[in-house]
Amino acid sequence: MLHRNAYNNPAVSMSVSDMSRYARRIWNSPAKYRNVSNREHRMNMRLNNIYAVGDYFFIDFSIENKTNIRFDIDEIRLKLADKKVTKATNAQIIELTPALVLEQAKSFRHGYRNVIVVKKMTFPNDKVLTIEMTEKQISGRNIRLNIDYEDVLSADSFNAVLLEEE
């Protein structure tokens, strides 16, 4: 009989299945943030939770659509941009690639919730982390949520209770 040893890749601190399990638990947890939200096009985008697990941030957000028109998701983008942009300066926008996007749904009518996992990072106070969701059609509806560094700093470390199987 052959004995096999588990291979732990040092470049990957968490497997996709572990990430998905954490994200699913976060998705089912109650919202802790009440003051980080944005309204556009009769839609309300809100930050529910931010958790720090290992080398990753788990950002839980939801969107409430108050129109009767279905929102067909084109893409969800994560950016790091300057808070204030004056006319004479170059704005630096850094596009971030999520390690995992939990829900792969392509449209929603009234309610939408998702968890995005990004590699842990720090950024200066004059920058803001933005989650932007754009729509496919010509309509050009898009909604974005700006998360200040203070909100990221107050991210909870992951509670072990959330990991226990129900």
Side-chain angles (χ1 to χ4, degrees), residues 22-39:
Y22 284 122
R24 188 65 59 204
R25 294 277 187 267
I26 291 168
W27 196 80
N28 289 320
S29 69
K32 288 191 176 75
Y33 287 84
R34 293 281 177 226
N35 58 346
V36 182
S37 66
N38 183 29
R39 291 172 194 264

Side-chain angles (χ1 to χ4, degrees), residues 11-112:
V12 179
S13 63
M14 189 182 297
S15 69
V16 174
S17 64
D18 284 346
M19 256 185 234
S20 298
R21 200 172 71 242
Y22 284 122
R24 188 65 59 204
R25 294 277 187 267
I26 291 168
W27 196 80
N28 289 320
S29 69
K32 288 191 176 75
Y33 287 84
R34 293 281 177 226
N35 58 346
V36 182
S37 66
N38 183 29
R39 291 172 194 264
E40 283 180 81
H41 311 292
R42 289 181 57 199
M43 293 190 303
N44 188 21
M45 189 169 186
R46 188 180 75 231
L47 176 66
N48 296 321
N49 296 305
I50 298 180
Y51 284 102
V53 185
D55 291 339
Y56 297 95
F57 283 130
F58 287 72
I59 303 168
D60 172 16
F61 68 96
S62 57
I63 298 174
E64 185 183 4
N65 183 0
K66 294 179 179 164
T67 68
N68 289 325
I69 303 165
R70 188 176 76 224
F71 191 96
D72 295 315
I73 302 167
D74 182 26
E75 60 182 346
I76 300 172
R77 298 169 74 184
L78 218 58
K79 299 175 184 175
L80 197 57
D82 295 324
K83 269 187 192 174
K84 293 180 182 140
V85 179
T86 54
K87 288 182 182 174
T89 59
N90 291 353
Q92 188 179 14
I93 298 173
I94 302 162
E95 184 106 17
L96 302 172
T97 307
L100 176 87
V101 177
L102 183 64
E103 287 297 319
Q104 296 299 324
K106 288 293 170 199
S107 69
F108 63 94
R109 190 172 298 279
H110 296 295
Y112 176 84

